[in-house]
Amino acid sequence: MRIPIIAGNWKMNLGRVDEALAFVRSIRHRLNEIEGVERVLCPPFTVLAAVADILRPTHIGLGAQTMHWDDRGAYTGEVSPAMLAGLCQYVILGHSERRTGRVAFPDHAAQVSVENDTAVNRKVHAALAHDLIPIICVGENLAQNEAGQTHEFVGGQVRAALEGLTAKQVERCVIAYEPLWAIGTGKAATPADANRIIGLTIRGAIAEVFGEATAAAVRVQYGGSVNLENIAAFMSMPEVDGALVGGASLKPDFVELVRQAALARCWSKRT
Ligand code: PGA
């Protein structure tokens, strides 16, 4: 059985120790009490250690937002899997803001890829080697969506990210389906579309290479404008195993969002 996972991707927000700790202190007890879903916070590097300290007595997971694949080296500004191991349990890899270069060149997104398929694949291998669970982001842009290329493009991203892994390793990965046009726009995919792409395209691509049993074991989240109003609808979809939440993870309401997710999943299993 796949345990749903809701992860909050803080991006470049709440990165001062005082503000991060104040926020986590305000939600951690209530967040910790929610059963039936894994909950994970992914703050900026600057506060990972401080947040790790106050999450230690809880069951709330901690993740980084990216990492390099090498353990050490002349990579100014980068953070390695060896540095993260022991500090957190998860790492987001291949987020579209990094794949498209938006993090480096906001005005020229898509011109310079900071994280391409090859880099993502190396990072996935490195994360698993260090016992970190990768949350691998995939998703098509608006033009690809409108041209009917979603299946081919997203399937290709999944195959590339998982290349060279064993089926057992694949089962430990989390995949986040995040259509680029839905991220930060307030315009989420429909739950039915997310369900179809996760089932047919993402599990389909995994099944082709690693077999049906592996495809059925991997957890696949939806991400892109998930909020308190739409989380229940996504969670009631059988292929959707949780959400990667950006903007809505920065507010105390995030606890309520996770509670709704747990409730919705619980009800949809009974009916
Ligand atoms: P959003 O971001 O929830 O603010 O749309 C999601 C993400 O980028 O992971």
Side-chain angles (χ1 to χ4, degrees):
M1 204 190 67
R2 303 189 299 260
I3 299 169
I5 171 170
I6 308 281
N9 175 11
W10 294 7
K11 308 191 180 183
M12 202 171 70
N13 297 293
L14 297 176
R16 267 187 5 231
V17 172
D18 59 343
E19 58 184 359
L21 291 186
F23 178 62
V24 175
R25 284 198 179 101
S26 75
I27 62 169
R28 75 179 156 162
H29 294 299
R30 288 173 300 132
L31 195 56
N32 191 39
E33 281 167 5
I34 301 170
E35 289 177 359
V37 289
E38 232 168 278
R39 43 266 187 249
V40 178
L41 303 179
C42 301
F45 288 130
T46 45
V47 299
L48 263 185
V51 172
D53 265 351
I54 64 165
L55 288 185
R56 204 151 284 135
T58 74
H59 300 292
I60 302 166
L62 186 66
Q65 298 175 16
T66 183
M67 64 172 202
H68 200 271
W69 57 81
D70 267 351
D71 278 354
R72 62 190 64 77
Y75 301 111
T76 302
E78 290 290 322
V79 170
S80 82
M83 296 173 194
L84 295 178
L87 186 59
C88 60
Q89 306 85 40
Y90 301 84
V91 59
I92 298 172
L93 297 177
H95 191 283
S96 62
E97 285 156 11
R98 303 191 62 80
R99 285 187 190 259
T100 61
R102 183 185 147 76
V103 290
F105 303 95
D107 300 332
H108 304 282
Q111 292 192 2
V112 179
S113 178
V114 179
E115 220 159 277
N116 62 15
D117 277 342
T118 308
V120 171
N121 178 247
R122 285 186 189 178
K123 293 176 184 205
V124 170
H125 279 269
L128 292 166
H130 284 83
D131 255 340
L132 293 160
I133 297 178
I135 299 176
I136 305 163
C137 301
V138 296
E140 81 287 2
N141 65 26
L142 187 59
Q144 291 163 328
N145 181 282
E146 288 175 347
Q149 295 164 349
T150 300
H151 181 74
E152 194 184 334
F153 182 75
V154 173
Q157 283 184 315
V158 171
R159 280 187 288 271
L162 303 179
E163 199 180 310
L165 297 180
T166 65
K168 275 273 158 281
Q169 286 178 312
V170 173
E171 284 180 17
R172 293 176 52 216
C173 296
V174 174
I175 295 178
Y177 170 56
E178 297 207 306
L180 272 61
W181 45 269
I183 295 177
T185 58
K187 189 174 171 284
T190 66
D193 280 348
N195 192 62
R196 182 174 48 81
I197 290 153
I198 290 175
L200 288 178
T201 301
I202 297 180
R203 291 196 204 285
I206 299 171
E208 264 172 39
V209 186
F210 300 97
E212 293 287 346
T214 304
V218 176
R219 294 182 294 174
V220 189
Q221 304 171 305
Y222 167 76
S225 296
V226 171
N227 57 36
L228 201 48
E229 282 70 48
N230 61 22
I231 184 69
F234 282 109
M235 293 302 290
S236 60
M237 293 287 140
E239 302 289 357
V240 180
D241 303 318
L244 183 55
V245 185
S249 73
L250 300 169
K251 299 178 224 134
D253 261 6
F254 181 59
V255 178
E256 196 45 40
L257 188 155
V258 176
R259 201 188 316 276
Q260 297 282 336
L263 271 175
R265 179 42 64 100
C266 175
W267 278 110
S268 67
K269 271 221 260 43
R270 275 192 231 170
T271 50

